[in-house]
Amino acid sequence: MARQPKEAGQVLTRQRAKGKEPGLWKVLLHNDDYTTQEFVVWLLKTVFRKAEPEATAIMLAVHKAGVGVAGIYTKDVAETRAERARQLAEREGFPLLLTVEAEDA
């Protein structure tokens, strides 16, 4: 198929497909009878970069409800932070359970 010549002053444009925004994922902390509250607060401050009052509030929510949201991130960041928190808990001998799930789930 032959190309048609463009007329003088005509601008050729190409539409770009817009990429879909990456979905957000929640890192969930699950309550257990062994991990200390102090460690959970320290973990929230260290790994999830929460201020002391927010870390304490999340820890209390986990303690009372059995589960709480440590943070909401893109999938890669959520998985990385959850894994880092698991490693630190294991190193300290705590069986802390962290899971990652889609925010809209």
Side-chain angles (χ1 to χ4, degrees):
M1 175 169 18
R3 297 176 93 183
Q4 294 182 354
K6 62 181 179 176
E7 297 177 21
Q10 184 181 10
V11 178
L12 297 177
T13 60
R14 183 177 0 167
Q15 298 240 345
R16 291 187 179 178
K18 291 188 177 184
K20 185 179 176 186
E21 292 277 328
L24 294 177
W25 294 71
K26 298 183 285 192
V27 178
L28 301 175
L29 283 169
H30 299 266
N31 192 34
D32 63 60
D33 293 333
Y34 303 101
T35 307
T36 64
Q37 293 178 347
E38 293 80 15
F39 179 77
V40 173
V41 170
W42 176 83
L43 199 67
L44 287 163
K45 289 169 51 180
T46 305
V47 176
F48 297 96
R49 300 179 184 150
K50 303 296 183 188
E52 179 91 25
E54 185 178 8
T56 301
I58 293 169
M59 177 274 298
L60 290 172
V62 171
H63 181 69
K64 291 177 183 175
V67 67
V69 178
I72 300 174
Y73 310 96
T74 59
K75 187 175 183 181
D76 289 344
V77 173
E79 288 175 344
T80 300
R81 290 191 185 194
E83 182 58 31
R84 179 68 180 137
R86 275 188 216 102
Q87 290 171 353
L88 290 169
E90 184 178 333
R91 184 183 78 187
E92 296 299 318
F94 294 120
L96 184 63
L97 174 63
L98 293 102
T99 58
V100 176
E101 71 176 39
E103 184 180 30
D104 55 5

